[in-house]
Amino acid sequence: DAGVIQSPRHEVTEMGQEVTLRCKPISGHNSLFWYRQTMMRGLELLIYFNNNVPIDDSGMPEDRFSAKMPNASFSTLKIQPSEPRDSAVYFCASSFGGLLNTEAFFGQGTRLTVV
Amino acid sequence: AQKVTQAQTEISVVEKEDVTLDCVYETRDTTYYLFWYKQPPSGELVFLIRRNSFDEQNEISGRYSWNFQKSTSSFNFTITASQVVDSAVYFCALFIQGAQKLVFGQGTRLTINP
């Protein structure tokens, strides 16, 4: 298995533009997580899907952020409009049965820079 | 509230030294899981270990060992005979069953010098 695949690896965009981050979880995993990593706040859980349904989105910072999981093999995290403070590394992770039954496998992350 | 504290922001040692990374957690839940992840310079997060709150046995895996003590709410990680390839940021994390959330500590940047 190729692991969790995120794209793009790096994204540089101008303030105000829409940004879409993509994630392909490991086949067979039914839980998907989006995390954000910054120097100031460390790793923060943004949203968690189970069986394609959003279970907890309390970590989504504001309405500019939205996430979808149209099927078991694909998820997107969208920021519209983007702001410089959104600059961070965004990780996607997947697991089977949430985090109880196995460890979460993380993708390599998308480094987002908003200028 | 659930919280993970990694008090050591950065540690630097010389190769072959032993090094211990501290992790202290806070939770009122009786069922929880503790994790350690490694983030090498390439950026990805690599799973190292998971322990549940009912299993306080220490674990050893090669040069890595973990000491889980509920009495002090700690889950410390020791690398024996450190190597340059161990250089990375290490994260301790707490999973609360009720909240279904994985809470990370701030991480400890470990540098192993040749």
Side-chain angles (χ1 to χ4, degrees), chain A residues 9 33 35 37 39-43 45 48 56 58 91 98-104 106-108, chain B residues 33 35 37 39 42-47 50 89 91 95 97 99-106 109:
Chain A
R9 290 291 310 278
F33 310 82
Y35 286 88
Q37 184 180 32
M39 288 294 293
M40 292 296 295
R41 301 173 70 90
L43 272 161
L45 177 65
Y48 157 46
D56 183 357
S58 60
F91 285 99
L99 286 170
L100 286 182
N101 296 328
T102 186
E103 67 272 19
F106 283 77
Q108 290 191 298
Chain B
Y33 295 76
F35 295 75
Y37 282 87
Q39 187 175 41
S42 50
E44 73 275 20
L45 281 162
V46 179
F47 166 85
R50 181 191 72 224
V89 180
F91 291 94
F95 177 77
Q97 182 171 344
Q100 290 284 304
K101 282 188 177 182
L102 187 59
V103 177
F104 283 85
Q106 287 292 91
R109 181 176 298 278

Side-chain angles (χ1 to χ4, degrees), chain B residues 3-18:
Chain B
K3 184 180 178 182
V4 177
T5 302
Q6 294 179 256
Q8 304 148 309
T9 306
E10 294 190 33
I11 300 176
S12 181
V13 300
V14 177
E15 197 172 21
K16 297 184 183 178
E17 286 186 17
D18 298 348

Side-chain angles (χ1 to χ4, degrees), chain B residues 3-74:
Chain B
K3 184 180 178 182
V4 177
T5 302
Q6 294 179 256
Q8 304 148 309
T9 306
E10 294 190 33
I11 300 176
S12 181
V13 300
V14 177
E15 197 172 21
K16 297 184 183 178
E17 286 186 17
D18 298 348
V19 59
T20 296
L21 310 182
D22 297 333
C23 173
V24 174
Y25 62 93
E26 296 176 29
T27 179
R28 293 179 180 175
D29 286 58
T30 56
T31 302
Y32 53 88
Y33 295 76
L34 294 162
F35 295 75
W36 275 96
Y37 282 87
K38 174 181 180 179
Q39 187 175 41
S42 50
E44 73 275 20
L45 281 162
V46 179
F47 166 85
L48 295 179
I49 190 173
R50 181 191 72 224
R51 305 293 290 181
N52 71 57
S53 53
F54 301 108
D55 183 1
E56 283 193 77
Q57 281 193 352
N58 293 331
E59 182 156 339
I60 298 175
S61 176
R63 296 183 297 105
Y64 294 172
S65 62
W66 290 269
N67 184 346
F68 177 25
Q69 292 194 351
K70 289 179 74 171
S71 60
T72 55
S73 297
S74 65

Side-chain angles (χ1 to χ4, degrees), chain A residues 20-91:
Chain A
T20 299
L21 311 182
R22 297 173 176 79
C23 175
K24 177 179 168 53
I26 292 174
S27 177
H29 282 186
N30 63 349
S31 296
L32 185 140
F33 310 82
W34 282 101
Y35 286 88
R36 179 173 65 176
Q37 184 180 32
T38 61
M39 288 294 293
M40 292 296 295
R41 301 173 70 90
L43 272 161
E44 304 172 279
L45 177 65
L46 299 178
I47 187 169
Y48 157 46
F49 291 88
N50 193 48
N51 294 323
N52 311 338
V53 176
I55 302 300
D56 183 357
D57 65 354
S58 60
M60 297 286 263
E62 47 196 275
D63 292 345
R64 296 184 298 107
F65 285 70
S66 63
K68 293 182 180 179
M69 192 165 185
N71 56 62
S73 59
F74 184 65
S75 177
T76 59
L77 177 67
K78 184 179 295 186
I79 309 173
Q80 166 63 21
S82 58
E83 296 183 3
R85 59 193 171 114
D86 301 330
S87 297
V89 179
Y90 291 82
F91 285 99

